[in-house]
Amino acid sequence: MRTRTPRTLAAALLLTLLASLLPASAAQGQVEDGATQTVARYQKQARAVTNNKREAHDLVQLRYGKCVQRFAVKQARRMADQDRMFHQDLGPVMDRCNLTSAGENVAYGYPTGRKVVRAWMRSEGHRANILEPSYRILGMAMRRSGNGTPYAAQVFGRR
């Protein structure tokens, strides 16, 4: 079943409220005209904003992790290809990347890296992942579906 993007502020507020009640649940955003970014710029901006949020909370910045980046790209690509949002099983991520802990944020419909991180920070479960003190590495990816909708995935980890 395909989830549709909310068209009204009330629907958006309800979805935000529901997302905040579900730890590590998926965030959804409205597709906005204009202000879209290239994949590289989107990912770079989301990574920078994520680390700015961590720095503002006296947490270490997250380093780029090649292995978790591959899983973030794979997840963003799968969601875009299927035009639906879902989480991946983090067991294989932990095994293949030699991690002791892992987390994931997913979203769709946010046109910029800054906007997707802003939405994650407004959701309790997603915010907890971004501000988890034990995480040290980050993979951040965005891919577009056939109709241009951006799908984003963050994969966090600690070795």
Side-chain angles (χ1 to χ4, degrees):
M1 179 164 65
R2 184 173 173 201
T3 305
R4 296 184 184 219
T5 305
R7 298 280 186 223
T8 65
L9 180 57
L13 290 172
L14 178 60
L15 285 171
T16 301
L17 175 62
L18 291 173
S20 70
L21 297 174
L22 300 171
S25 65
Q28 176 184 359
Q30 280 188 279
V31 177
E32 298 177 17
D33 294 328
T36 59
Q37 296 179 322
T38 65
V39 169
R41 181 167 167 76
Y42 190 108
Q43 292 174 174
K44 182 178 180 179
Q45 186 178 71
R47 182 181 302 280
V49 174
T50 296
N51 275 324
N52 289 344
K53 298 297 183 186
R54 288 180 62 86
E55 186 177 10
H57 288 84
D58 295 322
L59 298 169
V60 298
Q61 291 199 352
L62 299 170
R63 294 177 281 113
Y64 172 85
K66 192 173 190 176
C67 185
V68 294
Q69 179 65 22
R70 282 193 305 268
F71 279 97
V73 168
K74 181 179 174 182
Q75 180 62 13
R77 185 176 292 131
R78 284 190 315 188
M79 291 188 304
D81 287 349
Q82 296 178 35
D83 208 9
R84 68 183 184 94
M85 186 177 54
F86 56 93
H87 284 281
Q88 66 183 308
D89 178 1
L90 294 176
V93 177
M94 291 179 65
D95 291 343
R96 292 189 187 125
C97 298
N98 298 315
L99 302 176
T100 58
S101 64
E104 177 179 70
N105 286 343
V106 296
Y108 79 96
Y110 293 95
T112 68
R114 180 179 322 283
K115 288 182 179 185
V116 75
V117 174
R118 185 182 306 148
W120 282 328
M121 289 299 290
R122 291 180 180 151
S123 165
E124 186 177 335
H126 300 97
R127 179 184 177 89
N129 279 337
I130 290 170
L131 300 179
E132 171 55 51
S134 69
Y135 291 148
R136 295 292 183 265
I137 57 176
L138 173 66
M140 175 65 220
M142 185 277 283
R143 294 295 184 269
R144 294 187 190 284
S145 67
N147 66 9
T149 301
Y151 284 82
Q154 284 186 315
V155 178
F156 303 90
R158 177 169 178 97
R159 289 197 170 93

